[in-house]
Amino acid sequence: MSFLRTLSLTGWLAVAVLTLALILLTMCAVDSRQKAADRLRQADAGKTLAEGRTAAAQDASAIRDRADAREQQIDQSTQETTDAIRNAPDDAAAGDHGLRSLCKLYPDRDPRCRMLEARPGRVG
């Protein structure tokens, strides 16, 4: 430790400057790493958000497709029922066609639907 006593004022100034430079460089390196880590977290969050949006869009598309298919099924059933009612030989047959159509689309809508399901040779 005798070398510390032999340092002149200029030597101590040089040590102080070097120490300060080392501290500043360390702070810059830590700051750079922190900024890089922040950018990585932001990129991961953006990726997660994009994946979530994609999944939501796929879900919405699937829901829309099911709704379109259900609407098409209802339209087709309505048209078939309308044709069957118009061509029915009497009011009883027309009523039967209407009830069958209702039960086909909404089986729990009317208690008579359970009776139609129980009939042998039922249409459904």
Side-chain angles (χ1 to χ4, degrees), residues 97-117:
H97 286 297
L99 181 60
R100 285 184 187 281
S101 177
L102 174 72
C103 293
K104 185 177 178 183
L105 293 174
Y106 307 103
D108 297 329
R109 185 75 174 248
D110 192 299
R112 294 175 292 177
C113 293
R114 285 186 223 106
M115 294 176 8
L116 283 175
E117 289 177 5

Side-chain angles (χ1 to χ4, degrees), residues 3 5 30 36 40 42-43 51 61 75 86 88 90 92 100 107-110:
F3 73 91
R5 290 186 196 144
V30 169
L40 181 61
Q42 287 174 346
E51 289 170 352
S61 180
D75 289 347
R86 285 185 182 151
D90 55 31
R100 285 184 187 281
D108 297 329
R109 185 75 174 248
D110 192 299

Side-chain angles (χ1 to χ4, degrees), residues 48-66:
T48 301
L49 183 61
E51 289 170 352
R53 286 179 178 163
T54 300
Q58 289 171 341
D59 290 347
S61 180
I63 290 168
R64 186 189 65 240
D65 290 347
R66 285 193 303 269

Side-chain angles (χ1 to χ4, degrees), residues 1-19:
M1 290 280 184
S2 62
F3 73 91
L4 293 178
R5 290 186 196 144
T6 60
L7 283 179
S8 66
L9 184 60
T10 308
W12 280 110
L13 186 60
V15 168
V17 168
L18 288 174
T19 303

Side-chain angles (χ1 to χ4, degrees), residues 55-101:
Q58 289 171 341
D59 290 347
S61 180
I63 290 168
R64 186 189 65 240
D65 290 347
R66 285 193 303 269
D68 289 347
R70 178 74 172 152
E71 186 177 328
Q72 184 178 7
Q73 176 190 11
I74 290 170
D75 289 347
Q76 181 182 354
S77 179
T78 301
Q79 185 60 48
E80 290 171 0
T81 302
T82 301
D83 293 344
I85 290 172
R86 285 185 182 151
N87 296 322
D90 55 31
D91 288 344
D96 190 44
H97 286 297
L99 181 60
R100 285 184 187 281
S101 177

Side-chain angles (χ1 to χ4, degrees), residues 3-47:
F3 73 91
L4 293 178
R5 290 186 196 144
T6 60
L7 283 179
S8 66
L9 184 60
T10 308
W12 280 110
L13 186 60
V15 168
V17 168
L18 288 174
T19 303
L20 183 60
L22 184 62
I23 290 171
L24 288 174
L25 286 173
T26 303
M27 288 174 57
C28 288
V30 169
D31 188 52
S32 298
R33 286 185 181 167
Q34 184 62 41
K35 286 180 181 177
D38 289 345
R39 283 192 299 271
L40 181 61
R41 279 193 293 275
Q42 287 174 346
D44 287 343
K47 180 181 174 187

